[in-house]
Amino acid sequence: MINPEYRAVSDHATAAAKARAQHGSWVLAGVYANSQTSKSVAAGIRAGSPSFPTYQPTGAFDAYAAPAGDRESVWVRYVEGAEPLPPFPDRMTVRVRHSDPAPSDLGVVTVTVTTRCPACGGPRGWDTVQPYPFQVGDEEYTADTWTNPCGHMDLYPHVLEESRTRQLPPPPAPKHIVEAKAPPQEMPQVGLILDAAREHRGMHAARAADLLEVRGFADDAALIRAEIKNRAGHLSAKQAATLLRDLHRSAHLSTDYQMGAAS
Ligand SMILES: [Zn+2]
């Protein structure tokens, strides 16, 4: 069911009045046959062009053009007011569930897509993105979910297809995130265990420790064996991988910690 607020309005006077009444909310102002027209209309509205007197004065309205199915849409929002409105990003990076080429390859992939709903051109729920954990067999995954204010649902296969058709670079990170440390890459030890655990369902941590020892990660093998003892034997290989990842991650954040350094 499509939110009636996001249905087409017939003329700019109505769109402008509606947008003025809902300060900051995007309103569909028109649907056009080609993107050249929709882009010039959006630019005209933003620039306060005399061709669009209903959106005067200059700077009172924000506008953008976006595909809407096989048509082209123009959306406006009334921005004049004491409080500056937050910018509307043009891209969003999300984790989507994928299950191709074969269902056995099921997993999660991170993609960057436009913040405009492909069906109507309206804003996607880029500010409602939430983690969506799911389980397949004994594997745990986390994708993202969001709700589009227009009511059009984004299905994972469509989002995936969209990201393949139109590859976008990730949006620039907000300043406070740029300053934060990037998460470390997955460590080879963890990857080794997870690969083995994928092949051997219900693999015990003791086998993970053996595997690491053989592959030259004696310190990590010892860590896992100590933890098996701590937990009276109740530790799976996957839990051991998570434990190692957490330990190394906290070590990564601490400056005086040297992994494997004997004291
Ligand atoms: Zn929509």
Side-chain angles (χ1 to χ4, degrees), residues 85-142:
L85 289 168
F88 175 41
D90 61 350
R91 285 160 281 163
M92 60 198 268
T93 295
V94 287
R95 295 167 293 180
V96 300
R97 178 178 173 161
H98 75 91
S99 55
D100 56 290
S104 59
D105 294 322
L106 197 141
V108 166
V109 62
T110 299
V111 298
T112 298
V113 290
T114 169
T115 48
R116 279 67 159 151
C117 168
C120 68
R124 266 177 164 152
W126 63 276
D127 50 355
T128 67
V129 175
Q130 280 186 7
Y132 164 62
F134 63 96
Q135 201 164 357
V136 178
D138 57 1
E139 296 287 331
E140 284 165 21
Y141 302 90
T142 305

Side-chain angles (χ1 to χ4, degrees), residues 2-3 6 68 75 116-124 148-154:
I2 300 315
N3 186 336
Y6 286 78
W75 293 74
R116 279 67 159 151
C117 168
C120 68
R124 266 177 164 152
N148 295 333
C150 58
H152 290 120
M153 294 246 299
D154 278 320

Side-chain angles (χ1 to χ4, degrees), residues 9-261:
V9 288
S10 53
D11 62 274
H12 286 293
T14 308
K18 203 168 146 188
R20 281 179 197 271
Q22 306 169 15
H23 184 256
S25 295
W26 290 101
V27 169
L28 180 57
V31 176
Y32 301 87
N34 65 68
S35 66
Q36 213 178 337
T37 309
S38 61
K39 279 176 185 161
S40 70
V41 169
I45 292 170
R46 278 197 303 270
S49 154
S51 312
F52 302 100
T54 181
Y55 299 107
Q56 298 278 357
T58 305
F61 285 85
D62 197 358
Y64 72 83
D70 55 0
R71 315 283 307 273
E72 299 289 332
S73 62
V74 170
W75 293 74
V76 297
R77 67 171 177 173
Y78 185 59
V79 296
E80 197 148 88
E83 289 290 308
L85 289 168
F88 175 41
D90 61 350
R91 285 160 281 163
M92 60 198 268
T93 295
V94 287
R95 295 167 293 180
V96 300
R97 178 178 173 161
H98 75 91
S99 55
D100 56 290
S104 59
D105 294 322
L106 197 141
V108 166
V109 62
T110 299
V111 298
T112 298
V113 290
T114 169
T115 48
R116 279 67 159 151
C117 168
C120 68
R124 266 177 164 152
W126 63 276
D127 50 355
T128 67
V129 175
Q130 280 186 7
Y132 164 62
F134 63 96
Q135 201 164 357
V136 178
D138 57 1
E139 296 287 331
E140 284 165 21
Y141 302 90
T142 305
D144 288 314
T145 181
W146 59 95
T147 307
N148 295 333
C150 58
H152 290 120
M153 294 246 299
D154 278 320
L155 300 176
Y156 286 140
H158 298 168
V159 176
L160 206 56
E161 178 61 28
E162 182 188 326
S163 74
R164 286 174 182 151
T165 314
R166 188 178 169 215
Q167 295 194 347
L168 297 173
K175 276 208 174 84
H176 63 278
I177 293 180
V178 171
E179 284 156 16
K181 269 187 184 172
Q185 294 272 309
E186 186 76 291
M187 303 178 312
Q189 305 92 300
V190 173
L192 277 173
I193 298 176
L194 291 179
D195 286 347
R198 220 163 277 140
E199 282 179 30
H200 307 281
R201 298 255 156 184
M203 178 173 158
H204 193 265
R207 286 187 62 189
D210 293 344
L211 173 70
L212 289 193
E213 186 146 36
V214 174
R215 303 294 284 266
F217 297 101
D219 291 338
D220 289 317
L223 269 173
I224 292 173
R225 286 184 185 124
E227 189 62 20
I228 294 172
K229 235 178 232 171
N230 280 344
R231 301 195 192 184
H234 299 293
L235 190 69
S236 72
K238 277 195 65 183
Q239 287 170 324
T242 306
L243 175 80
L244 273 190
R245 189 192 286 139
D246 290 348
L247 280 174
H248 282 269
R249 206 158 271 178
S250 51
H252 176 87
L253 296 173
S254 142
T255 48
D256 57 359
Y257 186 97
Q258 288 280 311
M259 203 56 211

